[in-house]
Amino acid sequence: MTTPTARPAGPAAPDGIAGASVTRTVDAPARLVFAALTDARNHGRWVPQTRVRTDGAPTVGTRVEAVSGPLARFGAPGLVDRMRITAYDPPTGDDPHAAPGVAVFRKDGPVLLGTATIVVEPLGGGRCRATFREHVTLAGPLPGALTSRLTAPGFDVMLRVVLRRAARELEG
């Protein structure tokens, strides 16, 4: 029996930093789901009230800028979230013994700091398990542990919406 190849699941949150984590089984191959979830050009369709700009296809070093707010999709100003992909390792296959795919987006401000991590584990049979985690603090004088507890509930809701919308699109 072959055992899965170990691969890190992304960075751990610093001590005291709260986070949001949502996992969903998707009836689509791991490679397809990983490619779609890590390509920020898709997030404009899935993340509520957000427009996204990126400098290209996902790979280490790719920059992403998301702007969120009530009319952000129509060009209005909003909360700016600048990120850079710091790890990008697609799944090694679609069978259950393949290593999962892992992508890490480092949040560089100006307001949001921390990481967003996407892990896609192949389950075989054209299915996978997608996990989307956000460990976010706010820039400024307040302690990171406090601001992460303030941001986690909102990120939890957003991640649930994103994975539900992505799964519906990818399974359809």
Side-chain angles (χ1 to χ4, degrees):
M1 177 176 167
T2 308
T3 57
T5 305
R7 184 179 290 171
D15 286 342
I17 302 297
S21 181
V22 175
T23 299
R24 183 180 184 108
T25 299
V26 182
D27 290 327
R31 290 180 191 202
L32 172 74
V33 172
F34 183 80
L37 287 177
T38 59
D39 191 336
R41 295 172 291 192
N42 295 320
H43 290 210
R45 293 192 309 277
W46 301 333
V47 181
Q49 301 181 14
T50 299
R51 72 176 181 269
V52 179
R53 188 175 57 199
T54 181
D55 63 1
T59 189
V60 171
T62 299
R63 285 181 244 164
V64 177
E65 182 179 273
V67 179
S68 299
L71 298 173
R73 284 192 178 182
F74 305 105
L79 175 68
V80 177
D81 183 7
R82 290 189 183 104
M83 297 166 271
R84 181 182 299 266
I85 298 176
T86 59
Y88 189 83
D89 296 304
T92 59
D94 287 313
D95 66 86
H97 302 294
V102 179
V104 179
F105 294 71
R106 185 187 71 220
K107 294 179 175 287
D108 293 327
V111 176
L112 303 177
L113 304 172
T115 59
T117 304
I118 297 170
V119 179
V120 178
E121 302 170 81
L123 299 176
R127 299 175 67 225
C128 64
R129 181 180 305 113
T131 301
F132 203 144
R133 289 192 302 270
E134 298 256 5
H135 291 99
V136 179
T137 62
L138 300 175
L142 296 175
L146 171 63
T147 64
S148 70
R149 284 193 294 280
L150 296 173
T151 63
F155 277 104
D156 184 75
V157 170
M158 185 264 306
L159 295 178
R160 288 180 193 286
V161 169
V162 168
L163 281 182
R164 184 181 70 241
R165 288 176 176 178
R168 186 172 48 226
E169 184 177 308
L170 296 168
E171 292 172 345

